[in-house]
Amino acid sequence: TSLIDCSFFFFFFQAEDGIRDAQESRGLGDVYKRQVSTQSTGASVACSSRSASGMIRCATRLHALSRVTKPPRSRGINIKLVFDDDTVTQIQADPGDTLLEALDRADLSDVWTGGACGGACSCSTCRVRVVPPWSELLPEQEEDEIDMLDSAAGQEEDETAFLEAARLSCQFELQEEMEGMEVHIPDMGPNMLEVPLWLSLIHI
């Protein structure tokens, strides 16, 4: 009879994080806990892991949080619109927008159809009236704006009334100090894109 030697090998496996975390560890493994905080983004998330896979999951979670936790946007500017029939409405704009961009975004197509040229200072249809003290906050008119308003005024019976406090809304940007600004929306003037060039030059 021959003897058969049997060798027994014992393998020790570390349990997955989900199993080990169900019971508080009392060994030296606690020394290797990793605490990660996202205080810089305004949220607080703590990750505790004893394995590389756990740290990867934690980092992924924090990355996702950092993408949705963004700095607050600049406060919107409230603009008061007054139409010729005394209808009043209010729109919001972001600092740096032109008034025309704010008007377009407000979707006023049922009561206002200005901006035929898309803000290229070529039509005069985005003309508005801005009176003191608000007009004092606007930048000086450039030559292109002055020329366009003068050309459009030449198509009107009362040029003086047309030009009174007139500005092209595509030619100035809104700033935070313009909060509450009142803008008058007059009846639509001539669309200079539809006026023959030779006729538009007569009054320049």
Side-chain angles (χ1 to χ4, degrees):
T1 309
S2 61
L3 296 176
I4 300 176
D5 292 335
C6 295
S7 300
F8 295 93
F9 297 91
F10 295 90
F11 295 91
F12 296 89
F13 297 92
Q14 179 176 325
E16 289 295 326
D17 287 344
I19 300 175
R20 287 177 57 90
D21 288 344
Q23 180 178 347
E24 183 179 356
S25 174
R26 297 176 182 173
L28 294 177
D30 284 348
V31 175
Y32 299 99
K33 286 184 178 180
R34 299 292 185 268
Q35 301 293 329
V36 183
S37 174
T38 59
Q39 294 176 356
S40 60
T41 63
S44 180
V45 175
C47 294
S48 177
S49 178
R50 303 174 186 83
S51 70
S53 61
M55 288 300 295
I56 292 174
R57 288 196 298 272
C58 177
T60 302
R61 196 159 60 240
L62 293 176
H63 177 66
L65 179 64
S66 68
R67 294 180 62 184
V68 300
T69 309
K70 299 179 180 178
R73 294 180 60 188
S74 299
R75 185 171 62 89
I77 305 168
N78 294 296
I79 305 295
K80 179 182 178 182
L81 304 180
V82 182
F83 294 85
D84 273 359
D85 61 356
D86 293 329
T87 300
V88 177
T89 189
Q90 184 171 282
I91 64 173
Q92 272 207 335
D94 292 328
D97 284 348
T98 65
L99 178 58
L100 176 60
E101 290 171 335
L103 290 168
D104 284 343
R105 193 162 54 247
D107 190 17
L108 302 172
S109 57
D110 55 337
V111 293
W112 188 77
T113 55
C117 70
C121 195
S122 301
C123 68
S124 87
T125 61
C126 70
R127 176 179 61 103
V128 298
R129 290 194 178 101
V130 185
V131 298
W134 302 111
S135 59
E136 298 169 3
L137 298 177
L138 302 183
E140 293 289 331
Q141 288 177 305
E142 295 187 1
E143 187 174 340
D144 286 345
E145 182 180 0
I146 295 173
D147 288 346
M148 179 51 58
L149 285 171
D150 286 344
S151 296
Q155 310 303 312
E156 299 288 306
E157 293 183 3
D158 191 340
E159 295 185 27
T160 302
F162 182 88
L163 292 173
E164 182 182 358
R167 294 299 303 261
L168 296 181
S169 61
C170 66
Q171 294 301 298
F172 62 88
E173 295 182 350
L174 301 169
Q175 306 300 332
E176 290 187 356
E177 57 267 25
M178 298 177 185
E179 166 68 24
M181 182 171 72
E182 183 173 298
V183 175
H184 293 259
I185 308 294
D187 286 338
M188 190 70 64
N191 182 352
M192 298 304 290
L193 291 175
E194 300 174 351
V195 176
L197 181 60
W198 66 269
L199 186 58
S200 66
L201 293 176
I202 291 178
H203 297 275
I204 296 181

